[in-house]
């Protein structure tokens, strides 16, 4: 009894796979061939899947008979393709039919895996219009740059030593290369999002997602893009500002997870910074024409987007980052822990997360007052924003740097003012 129930469940899996793929193929053929006969629809794919299941069931006792049955199905599918190839030379439907037969056989052994594979195949079949749109807009340089990017991630990065090679512990080849990959990856994603979604929406989404990992990397990537394509200055500025707004919120979330009492002191200055930045980002979004000379800012071709993968700007920023980190290390060695504020100022030059975690742990253990901790984290955020303003001016040019630095410094000064008043 248990065996028969198990077989029936597998049989239902096979039937479901046939129906799933058959529905997708029927909808496609209905829309493309109008009133013409559909050679392979729901019933055909269901029968093929059940036929594959029957072959696997038969093969348990008669392996040769199962092979003959499967070969017969494949021969029939090939004959159908040869019959219809003059009208439609595509072979996707026939390949899907062969796969459906094979998945039906697989249901006899591992129905769950067969179901997952069937779902993936159906998604691939249904994504025809999307994939065609993407490939029709791609160029060879974009493919070669993608291969270069993957080669650095999969081949070069794993070979590098993940340890500091200098006495101060500032230069770690693995971490520096990872930073290069991060910046190049943000530029890479931003390029394709801008290409397919338009500059404003694509780069804005890049800033939002990139800000979850590194707003400094987003600033460097967007500065390089703005310098290469002046028509994208406004869109790149918007992405940079959104990334920094995300960074302010990220600091608040980290603090809230580590020390809830500290968040009540920190929410006023960082909340003010976030509000100012969001207002500025909204103004940038609504008044893009005032900052970009190109009327059609969403058209990637008219804006002449450069190659998606460029190591030069990422390497320059990484060297700059190592230099800042080296300065921070030297300052910590000679200054020690005499002053939290000075330590926060120096640490913020390179990174906000490290000082945020350190201060939150100290306030949680009551070794540091919450007022002092809030001031320290705020100073680090201000210091980090000044560094990013310098990156924007140095790497992105005066126009891009003016937009970013004016907003960031204005927001951080407003946050400091609120901190002093409150």
């Amino acid at each position: 009894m248990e065996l028969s129930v198990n077989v029936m469940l597998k049989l239902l899996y096979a039937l479901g796979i046939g129906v799933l793929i058959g529905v997708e193929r029927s909808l496609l053929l209905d829309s493309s061939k109008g009133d013409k006969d559909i050679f392979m629809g729901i019933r055909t794919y269901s029968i093929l899947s059940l036929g594959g299941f029957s072959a696997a069931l038969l093969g348990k006792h008669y392996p040769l008979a199962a092979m003959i049955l499967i070969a017969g199905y494949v021969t029939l599918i090939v004959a159908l393709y040869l019959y219809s190839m003059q009208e439609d030379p595509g072979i996707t439907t026939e390949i899907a039919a062969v796969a459906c037969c094979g998945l039906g056989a697989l249901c006899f052994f591992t129905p769950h895996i067969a179901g997952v594979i069937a779902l993936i195949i159906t998604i691939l079949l249904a994504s025809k219009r999307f994939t065609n749109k993407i490939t029709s807009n791609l160029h060879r340089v974009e493919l070669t740059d993608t291969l270069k990017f993957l080669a650095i991630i999969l081949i070069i990065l794993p070979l590098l030593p993940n340890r500091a090679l200098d006495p101060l512990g500032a230069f770690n080849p693995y971490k520096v290369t990872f930073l290069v990959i991060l910046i190049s990856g943000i530029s890479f994603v931003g390029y394709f999002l801008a290409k397919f979604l338009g500059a404003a929406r694509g780069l804005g989404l890049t800033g939002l997602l990139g800000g979850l990992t590194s707003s400094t990397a987003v600033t460097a990537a967007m500065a390089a893009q703005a310098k290469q394509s002046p028509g994208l200055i406004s869109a790149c500025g918007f992405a940079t500002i959104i990334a920094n707004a995300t960074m302010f919120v990220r600091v608040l979330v980290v603090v809230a997870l580590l020390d809830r009492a500290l968040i009540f002191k920190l929410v006023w200055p960082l909340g003010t910074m976030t509000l100012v930045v969001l207002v500025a980002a909204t103004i940038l979004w609504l008044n893009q024409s005032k900052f970009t000379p190109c009327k059609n800012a969403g058209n990637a071709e008219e804006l002449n987007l450069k190659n998606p993968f460029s190591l030069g700007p990422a390497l320059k920023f990484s060297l700059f980052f190592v230099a800042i980190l080296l300065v921070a290390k030297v300052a910590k060695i000679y200054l020690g822990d005499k002053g939290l504020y000075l330590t926060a100022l120096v640490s913020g030059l390179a990174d906000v997360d490290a000082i945020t975690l350190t201060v939150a742990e100290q306030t949680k253990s009551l070794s540091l007052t919450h007022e002092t901790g809030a001031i320290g984290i705020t100073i680090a955020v201000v210091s980090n924003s000044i560094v990013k303003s310098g990156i924007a001016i140095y790497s992105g040019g005066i126009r891009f740097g003016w937009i970013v630095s004016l907003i960031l410094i204005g927001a951080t000064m407003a946050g400091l003012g609120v901190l002093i008043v409150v």
Side-chain angles (χ1 to χ4, degrees), residues 241-261:
I241 298 307
I242 286 296
N244 282 275
T246 306
M247 184 270 287
F248 296 149
V249 175
R250 190 184 75 225
V251 172
L252 288 174
V253 171
V254 170
V255 170
L257 292 175
L258 295 176
D259 186 2
R260 293 183 180 180

Side-chain angles (χ1 to χ4, degrees), residues 243-293:
N244 282 275
T246 306
M247 184 270 287
F248 296 149
V249 175
R250 190 184 75 225
V251 172
L252 288 174
V253 171
V254 170
V255 170
L257 292 175
L258 295 176
D259 186 2
R260 293 183 180 180
L262 180 59
I263 193 67
F264 294 107
K265 296 291 183 181
L266 201 59
V267 70
W268 293 106
L270 288 189
T272 301
M273 294 180 193
T274 304
L275 181 62
V276 172
V277 165
L278 289 178
V279 170
T282 303
I283 295 174
L284 274 178
W285 179 271
L286 296 176
N287 299 279
Q288 291 184 60
S289 59
K290 295 181 180 180
F291 297 100
T292 175

Side-chain angles (χ1 to χ4, degrees), residues 50-56 58 64-75 101:
L50 292 174
F53 181 83
S54 301
L58 183 64
L64 184 60
M67 294 175 60
I68 294 174
L69 185 58
I70 292 291
Y73 284 130
V74 174
T75 302
C101 185

